[in-house]
Amino acid sequence: MKTILFEEDQLIISLSSLETILGLKHTIEVPYSNIKDVSIEDTHQFLWKMYGTHLGASKYGYFKKDGVNYFVASSTNKGNLVLTLNNHKYDKIILELDHVDDVFQPLQNILSTYIK
């Protein structure tokens, strides 16, 4: 299970122990000013695995497609939280969350002051 922390100036994404093993990453820090867009999407695209795990719909780790860098932590293609970023290691972060609306709405409210 992922933990999402809303800090004063950044979002901190922490993965569970199993997700850390699968994705080879424990924590991602994303300044709010680097988030260009946030959405809830079904993600059915093919991505090239750079490192991590990809088995069926489950993807954990660093992926790439057409020059776009992705960090994905999801076992489903349905209803994922998608962060589109500027000036960050990843261009997109795709996360499966149990209660995606509980993160999506507060994040949209915070970003309304950062996204112009």
Side-chain angles (χ1 to χ4, degrees):
M1 177 177 214
K2 290 159 211 64
T3 303
I4 308 293
L5 297 175
F6 295 95
E7 297 290 321
E8 184 177 333
D9 61 349
Q10 68 181 348
L11 185 71
I12 298 176
I13 304 162
S14 297
L15 304 180
S16 71
S17 299
L18 178 60
E19 291 171 326
T20 297
I21 292 167
L22 296 173
L24 303 175
K25 188 98 174 151
H26 177 64
T27 302
I28 301 172
E29 297 177 358
V30 182
Y32 296 128
S33 59
N34 288 7
I35 302 174
K36 184 166 79 172
D37 188 38
V38 59
S39 58
I40 299 173
E41 300 177 20
D42 293 346
T43 53
H44 295 283
Q45 59 187 327
F46 175 80
L47 302 173
W48 292 100
K49 178 179 70 171
M50 304 310 285
Y51 66 78
T53 303
H54 179 210
L55 187 61
S58 295
K59 294 180 184 87
Y60 293 90
Y62 172 42
F63 293 79
K64 198 166 191 153
K65 181 180 181 184
D66 299 329
V68 177
N69 297 314
Y70 294 81
F71 183 84
V72 184
S74 178
S75 63
T76 182
N77 292 324
K78 303 265 186 215
N80 288 302
L81 182 73
V82 178
L83 304 174
T84 304
L85 309 176
N86 285 322
N87 305 316
H88 196 273
K89 176 180 179 176
Y90 305 111
D91 300 307
K92 288 193 177 240
I93 296 175
I94 300 173
L95 303 171
E96 173 189 5
L97 299 171
D98 290 334
H99 303 283
V100 69
D101 286 325
D102 292 346
V103 173
F104 179 71
Q105 290 301 327
L107 186 53
Q108 270 195 322
N109 293 340
I110 291 168
L111 293 179
S112 66
T113 62
Y114 286 90
I115 295 176
K116 307 271 188 281

